[in-house]
């Protein structure tokens, strides 16, 4: 009498033996995902690429003309694109380290909490920002940073007396402080999410490894850099690459905190691209597409470089 | 080879052969292609097999869509809606004056909505016309209504002799002040010139009545343009653009700097809603009674005095003028456009007529309601004539004031860059306001050049 296991195995063998390339019904199940992937990922990318070589103006009724590299040459000579890229880099260079290092330190500290209740409490508290919907986060931080009624300025002016009402910092509305304001909000928003990543990584670090290092005379600093960080490198690299991509292409927060003020540090290449495509004059979507592609290429170069730096050396 | 209906001997499910799969896909593709081809040729793809009766097409109900703020400020709109059975009332996806959804639909020769209430001619009308999104009202609007519009408003809403905007809400830029603060400062005169205005504002600050003397909305169409108009309204180039380098514009910028020195420190900041356009710092400062004098469209001081709880202390007057000038200001209407690919055109006319002539809406707008006090006025001669003949008990003195100001006002020209010229130019003229550039003419020249550069990009 065949056991259940052997029956299952023989059925699997039978299924495998009858499965051939000609069994096309399997492809039916791939259609939804394929349609979505092609329709919402591949097609827009290709379409934008094609558009970038035309003079397509969205408000014009005439068909677009092929203009070759004209848009790219113009974009490379466009000071607004240059400064927009620079602003995005400034944001990225400040934001990415902060959004990685602060959660890393927090994760290491929480990982050492031995009381299970306390450990859970810390995790829950840290995760709160991550579960708040985006619009609510924006509303909350706009209120916090409000020049006249915001708690941040109230603390700085009335509690600490560092500023007067006239000299209080202006965090919102395209001022030089708009970028730090966005950075503070973004770091806070990602704090719990990133900390969880690192906590998951730390859970995979054998405890006896740390104990062994201590016995060998390693201090906490050495333990952190020589034992913990190397073990968390895969997570670190993923987060750095992911966050680099999101930081370079931020747009919503910039629009909400800085509007379309061209001198604002939040007027980056992404805002400029949107401005060109949907707001100014005839809506130069061909030109905006070229700017989008240039930005994407710049980001890809950096991402490939980072993947090379973080490549596995096992 | 198995057929689809065969079952494997081992009990696995039936499968398709390569031939069947390709046939299936080809059939689907051919059907879709045939439909697309027919549609492209102007025909309609058959939705029912030949020989069977076509399905009855049911026309949709009238579907107007409104810019959110209009609904917020005019609580009687639902009352009008209730008289149109089956009306599909919607809020428009136009955050920050965005019209991309309308344009995208028109490209496909379709429209989810029939009429959009929220269009300001100089802001987006030219773009909507250019993109073939809207059509003129002329073929549908009754002549008596057309003739009832105040002439400058009709002119504002007309392009190439055709009326593209059905005006609804009239806004005029003027002056307001919080008499709580001016009384405290010992001010007894109403400023009629900018010099007097500045002197009074300084007196407010010097006396300690309020931290700031005066404020304005830094967006150009709400400050630079009206201040310029207060010297002269003849400040537009032959292309229809605002002439940033005209002498009145230079004087207006110098004035803005003088006011800024007496204003809330965040006066130049972008607003925090609608892509920086609304919820602006001036509104907060005035509502918080931090500033005494305020220049903006009249509905702003009315609303924010209500917010701040000092409506009874609010005073309003026309925009001050420069010495030796007649004085002028800016007006605009917010109205409705008719979607070219919308439906129910005649019904849309009925609806707009009912909406814009509704007495309750105007009463609430002028006298205020528990929820809002926009103070926006109607565009019709007959309504004013009626009010003049039989003055309603709820009539407010500011109505006559706005009407008087309106006579001296001019709309900003309709142009694809009508609004964005001010957005593009703002950082450059603000270099003078912030002290980065000492010459106002140089700052305004940069603004003009920046706008010209954007127009040149368009080719």
């Amino acid at each position: 009498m065949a056991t259940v296991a052997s029956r299952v195995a023989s059925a699997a063998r039978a299924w495998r033996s009858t499965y051939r390339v000609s069994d096309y019904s399997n492809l039916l199940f791939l259609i939804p995902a394929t349609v979505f992937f092609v329709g919402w990922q591949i097609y827009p990318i290709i379409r934008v690429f094609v558009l970038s070589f035309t003079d397509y103006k969205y408000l014009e009724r005439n068909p677009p003309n092929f203009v070759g590299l004209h848009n790219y040459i113009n974009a490379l000579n466009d000071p607004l694109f240059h400064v927009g890229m620079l602003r995005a880099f400034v944001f990225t260079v400040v934001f990415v380290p902060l959004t990685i290092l602060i959660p890393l330190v927090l994760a290491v500290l929480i990982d050492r909490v031995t009381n299970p209740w306390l450990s859970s409490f810390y995790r829950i508290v840290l995760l709160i920002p991550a579960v708040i919907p985006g619009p609510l986060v924006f509303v909350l931080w706009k209120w916090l940073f409000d020049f006249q009624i915001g708690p941040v300025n109230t603390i700085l002016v009335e509690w600490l007396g560092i500023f007067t009402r006239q000299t209080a910092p202006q965090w919102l509305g395209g001022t030089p402080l708009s970028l730090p304001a966005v950075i503070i909000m973004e770091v806070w928003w990602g704090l719990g999410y990133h900390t969880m990543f690192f906590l998951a990584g730390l859970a995979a670090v054998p405890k006896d490894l740390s104990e062994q290092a201590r016995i060998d005379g390693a201090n906490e600093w050495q333990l952190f850099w020589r034992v913990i960080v190397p073990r968390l490198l895969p997570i670190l690299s993923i987060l750095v690459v992911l966050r680099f991509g999101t930081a370079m292409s931020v747009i919503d927060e910039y629009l909400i905190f800085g509007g379309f003020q061209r001198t604002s540090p939040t007027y980056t290449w992404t805002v400029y691209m949107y401005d060109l495509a949907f707001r100014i004059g005839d809506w130069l979507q061909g030109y905006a597409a070229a700017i989008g592609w240039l930005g994407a290429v710049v980001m890809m170069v950096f991402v490939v470089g980072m993947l090379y730096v973080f490549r596995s050396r096992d | 080879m198995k057929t689809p209906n065969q079952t494997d001997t081992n009990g696995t499910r039936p499968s398709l052969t390569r031939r069947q799969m390709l046939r299936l896909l080809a059939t689907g593709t051919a059907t879709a292609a045939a439909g697309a081809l027919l549609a492209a040729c102007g025909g309609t793809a058959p939705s029912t097999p030949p020989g069977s009766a076509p399905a009855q097409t049911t026309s949709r109900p009238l579907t107007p869509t409104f810019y959110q703020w209009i609904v917020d400020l005019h609580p009687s709109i639902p009352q009008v809606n209730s008289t149109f059975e089956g009306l599909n009332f919607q809020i428009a996806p136009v955050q920050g004056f965005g019209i991309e959804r309308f344009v995208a639909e028109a490209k496909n020769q379709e429209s989810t909505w029939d009429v959009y209430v929220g269009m300001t001619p100089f802001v987006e009308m030219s773009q909507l016309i250019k993109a073939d999104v809207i059509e003129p009202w002329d073929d549908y609007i009754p002549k008596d209504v057309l003739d009832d519009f105040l002439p400058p408003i009709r002119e504002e809403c007309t392009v190439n002799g055709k009326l593209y905007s059905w005006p609804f809400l009239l806004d005029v830029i003027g002056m307001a002040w919080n008499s709580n603060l001016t009384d405290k400062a010992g001010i007894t005169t109403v400023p009629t010139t900018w010099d007097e205005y500045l002197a009074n504002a300084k007196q407010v600050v010097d006396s300690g009545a309020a931290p700031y003397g005066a404020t304005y909305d830094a967006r150009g169409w709400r400050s630079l343009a009206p201040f310029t108009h207060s010297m002269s309204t003849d400040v537009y180039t032959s292309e229809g653009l605002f002439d940033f380098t005209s002498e009145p514009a230079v004087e207006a910028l110098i004035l803005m700097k003088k006011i800024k020195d007496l204003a809330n420190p965040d006066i130049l900041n972008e607003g925090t809603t609608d892509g920086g356009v609304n919820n602006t710092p001036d509104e907060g400062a005035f509502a918080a009674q931090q500033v005494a004098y305020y220049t903006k469209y009249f509905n702003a001081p009315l609303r924010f005095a209500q917010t701040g709880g000092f409506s009874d202390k609010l005073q309003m007057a026309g925009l001050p003028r420069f010495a030796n000038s007649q004085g002028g200001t800016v007006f605009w209407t917010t109205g409705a456009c008719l979607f070219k690919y919308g439906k129910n055109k005649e019904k849309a006319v009925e609806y707009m007529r009912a909406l814009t002539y509704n007495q309750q809406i105007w009463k609430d707008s002028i006298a205020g309601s528990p929820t809002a006090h926009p103070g926006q006025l109607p565009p019709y001669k007959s309504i004013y004539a009626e009010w003049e003949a039989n003055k309603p008990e709820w009539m407010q003195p500011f109505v006559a004031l706005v009407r008087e100001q309106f006579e001296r006002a001019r709309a900003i020209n309709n142009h694809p860059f009508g609004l964005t010229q001010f957005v593009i130019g703002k950082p450059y003229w603000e270099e003078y306001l912030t002290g980065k550039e000492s010459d106002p003419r140089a700052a305004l020249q940069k603004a003009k050049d920046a706008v010209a550069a954007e127009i040149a990009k368009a080719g």
Side-chain angles (χ1 to χ4, degrees):
Chain A
M1 196 183 198
T3 61
V4 173
S6 67
R7 278 206 303 274
V8 170
S10 68
R13 271 197 305 277
W15 187 86
R16 270 200 303 275
S17 68
T18 59
Y19 179 81
R20 295 186 304 276
V21 179
S22 62
D23 192 357
Y24 282 95
S25 58
N26 297 301
L27 296 178
L28 287 172
F29 297 99
L30 286 176
I31 287 172
T34 308
V35 165
F36 181 82
F37 183 68
V38 171
W40 276 266
Q41 301 271 333
I42 305 295
Y43 171 72
I45 290 169
I46 292 168
R47 179 160 166 76
V48 169
F49 185 68
V50 171
L51 275 185
S52 70
F53 294 100
T54 69
D55 63 354
Y56 184 46
K57 299 167 189 170
Y58 202 65
L59 297 187
E60 285 274 345
R61 293 175 225 179
N62 306 326
N65 302 302
F66 179 76
V67 293
L69 292 171
H70 183 74
N71 289 331
Y72 287 93
I73 293 162
N74 279 356
L76 288 170
N77 292 309
D78 189 335
L80 273 170
F81 176 62
H82 299 167
V83 78
M85 265 289 165
L86 186 68
R87 286 165 180 165
F89 269 114
V90 169
F91 174 78
T92 304
V93 163
V94 179
F95 164 74
V96 173
L98 286 176
T99 207
I100 302 291
L101 292 175
I102 296 172
L104 175 61
V105 171
L106 278 173
V108 170
L109 293 174
I110 291 169
D111 190 54
R112 292 175 175 221
V113 176
T114 50
N115 183 321
W117 292 105
L118 211 53
S119 176
S120 298
F121 171 77
Y122 288 140
R123 287 163 201 250
I124 290 165
V125 167
L126 275 172
L127 263 177
I128 287 171
V131 298
I132 299 175
L136 209 60
V137 170
F138 298 143
V139 169
L140 170 72
W141 281 91
K142 272 164 62 179
W143 168 70
L144 285 169
F145 282 131
D146 189 280
F147 175 76
Q148 290 166 32
I149 57 161
V152 172
N153 276 5
T154 302
I155 291 165
L156 294 172
V157 173
E158 287 171 24
W159 294 14
L160 302 176
I162 299 170
F163 299 99
T164 65
R165 273 286 162 201
Q166 278 79 358
T167 60
Q170 296 173 34
W171 300 95
L172 302 174
T175 63
L177 286 176
S178 294
L179 203 65
V182 174
I183 291 167
I184 291 166
M185 182 193 76
E186 290 284 341
V187 169
W188 171 85
W189 201 3
L191 208 57
Y193 185 70
H194 297 144
T195 305
M196 289 302 147
F197 265 84
F198 289 124
L199 281 170
L202 285 167
V205 178
K207 296 295 173 205
D208 53 4
L209 208 62
S210 303
E211 286 161 21
Q212 191 68 53
R214 282 196 185 92
I215 290 164
D216 289 344
N219 59 28
E220 293 301 314
W221 191 245
Q222 289 168 323
L223 190 70
F224 178 75
W225 284 109
R226 302 278 173 85
V227 177
I228 292 172
V229 170
R231 295 275 163 172
L232 291 178
L233 210 55
I235 290 173
L236 262 169
S237 61
I238 287 168
L239 281 181
V240 168
V241 171
L242 282 176
R243 285 295 152 251
F244 174 85
T246 53
M248 280 297 291
S249 56
V250 164
I251 182 166
D252 304 10
E253 293 84 336
Y254 293 157
L255 290 180
I256 288 162
F257 276 53
F260 287 96
Q261 174 86 331
R262 290 185 167 203
T263 48
S264 167
T266 55
Y267 194 89
T268 62
W269 70 280
T270 52
V271 180
Y272 182 44
M273 183 176 64
Y274 178 84
D275 217 356
L276 283 168
F278 294 108
R279 282 172 53 89
I280 296 174
D282 292 340
W283 299 12
L284 310 177
Q285 299 207 336
Y287 186 49
I291 283 178
W293 261 96
L294 280 174
V297 166
V298 169
M299 283 164 62
M300 284 306 296
V301 167
F302 275 85
V303 166
V304 168
M306 280 188 283
L307 289 173
Y308 179 77
V309 168
F310 290 124
R311 71 192 183 283
S312 174
R313 294 183 179 86
D314 289 344
Chain B
M1 191 192 270
K2 295 186 291 291
T3 64
N5 296 326
Q6 274 181 312
T7 308
D8 287 329
T9 49
N10 53 26
T12 54
R13 68 210 177 291
S15 60
L16 292 170
T17 60
R18 180 200 304 260
R19 185 190 298 267
Q20 288 161 335
M21 181 75 184
L22 289 172
R23 195 180 294 157
L24 212 143
L25 285 172
T27 309
T29 310
T31 309
L37 198 65
L38 274 167
C41 296
T44 316
S47 54
T48 51
S52 65
Q56 280 291 321
T57 52
T58 52
S59 65
R60 71 181 186 205
L62 176 66
T63 309
T65 188
F66 277 65
Y67 206 152
Q68 175 76 55
W69 67 261
I70 297 175
V71 182
D72 293 342
L73 297 187
H74 297 278
S76 299
I77 289 171
Q79 192 187 86
V80 177
N81 294 346
S82 65
T83 62
F84 285 79
E85 201 183 336
L87 183 95
N88 182 11
F89 180 86
Q90 297 200 9
I91 297 297
V94 289
Q95 173 86 343
F97 305 136
I99 53 167
E100 48 268 43
R101 172 75 187 274
F102 301 152
V103 177
E105 288 198 351
K107 291 245 168 199
N108 297 329
Q109 304 204 341
E110 59 190 29
S111 177
T112 302
W113 308 280
D114 303 327
V115 63
Y116 166 50
V117 184
M119 182 178 76
T120 305
F122 85 93
V123 175
E124 68 262 87
M125 192 165 81
S126 296
Q127 292 178 320
L128 288 166
I129 295 168
K130 191 167 191 172
D132 208 24
V133 177
I134 60 176
E135 64 175 303
W137 287 97
D138 300 66
D139 293 343
Y140 311 97
I141 192 168
K143 192 173 184 310
D144 64 311
V145 176
L146 200 57
D147 293 340
D148 200 12
F149 293 131
L150 291 159
I153 291 178
R154 186 170 169 181
E155 193 182 330
E156 177 210 16
C157 299
T158 301
V159 173
N160 297 330
K162 300 278 185 188
L163 187 90
Y164 281 91
S165 174
W166 185 314
F168 177 23
L169 305 162
L170 169 64
D171 275 308
V172 183
I173 305 274
M175 171 182 66
W177 66 96
N178 179 339
S179 64
N180 244 346
L181 306 177
T182 53
D183 289 352
K184 213 182 283 184
I187 296 167
T188 54
T189 57
V190 177
T192 55
T193 66
W194 287 117
D195 288 341
E196 290 168 9
Y197 182 84
L198 289 164
N200 284 12
K202 190 171 185 308
Q203 196 173 322
V204 169
V205 177
D206 291 346
S207 67
Y212 315 116
T215 192
Y216 53 74
D217 184 322
R219 270 124 296 274
W221 64 95
R222 296 172 183 163
S223 51
L224 183 68
F227 294 177
T228 302
H229 282 206
S230 75
M231 178 177 262
S232 170
T233 53
D234 186 21
V235 284
Y236 292 86
T237 64
S238 53
E239 299 87 35
L241 290 163
F242 182 79
D243 187 356
F244 288 103
T245 52
S246 64
E247 200 51 39
V250 173
E251 289 301 322
L253 188 65
I254 294 167
L255 170 69
M256 284 171 75
K257 186 167 169 57
K258 289 175 180 171
I259 296 173
K260 182 187 169 287
D261 293 342
L262 298 162
N264 43 303
D266 57 344
I267 187 170
L268 299 183
N269 291 358
E270 293 289 284
T272 55
T273 59
D274 253 348
V277 170
N278 287 318
N279 197 14
T280 48
D282 52 284
E283 296 174 350
F286 193 70
Q289 303 200 57
Q290 297 275 298
V291 62
Y293 287 93
Y294 190 18
T295 49
K296 201 165 178 170
Y297 35 79
F298 283 106
N299 85 63
L302 280 164
R303 283 188 291 129
F304 293 101
Q306 189 180 44
T307 304
F310 59 94
S311 295
D312 57 329
K313 295 292 178 185
L314 179 71
Q315 301 286 321
M316 296 193 288
L319 202 64
R321 55 186 171 77
F322 287 95
N324 306 320
S325 74
Q326 280 197 314
T329 185
V330 162
F331 85 86
W332 58 74
T333 55
T334 303
C337 57
L338 189 65
F339 288 116
K340 184 175 179 177
Y341 301 105
K343 301 183 192 314
N344 307 300
K345 314 259 184 194
E346 284 78 15
K347 201 80 183 160
V349 169
E350 268 180 61
Y351 179 72
M352 283 312 301
R353 187 172 191 152
L355 184 77
T356 53
Y357 278 100
N358 183 277
Q359 281 294 326
Q360 189 60 45
I361 285 179
W362 298 122
K363 182 188 170 187
D364 286 347
S365 181
I366 291 162
S369 68
T371 52
H373 192 183
Q376 291 170 306
L377 299 185
Y380 298 116
K381 289 183 278 190
S382 63
I383 293 183
Y384 292 108
E386 193 185 319
W387 288 344
E388 218 161 287
N390 305 297
K391 191 177 174 184
E393 58 181 30
W394 46 261
M395 186 51 63
Q396 302 288 308
F398 77 83
V399 174
L401 165 76
V402 177
R403 286 281 291 118
E404 185 269 328
Q405 277 284 287
F406 171 74
E407 297 302 330
R408 296 189 291 138
R410 175 183 170 161
I412 292 166
N413 280 5
N414 293 317
H415 190 280
F417 282 79
L419 177 90
T420 49
Q421 63 183 329
F422 294 109
V423 179
I424 294 162
K426 185 171 180 267
Y428 302 98
W429 78 62
E430 282 188 352
E431 287 183 3
Y432 172 72
L433 299 179
T434 56
K436 195 175 165 185
E437 167 64 64
S438 59
D439 182 1
R441 282 175 181 79
L444 285 161
Q445 185 63 55
K446 282 185 207 169
K448 190 175 187 173
D449 293 345
V451 175
E454 287 300 334
I455 291 172
K457 269 181 203 170

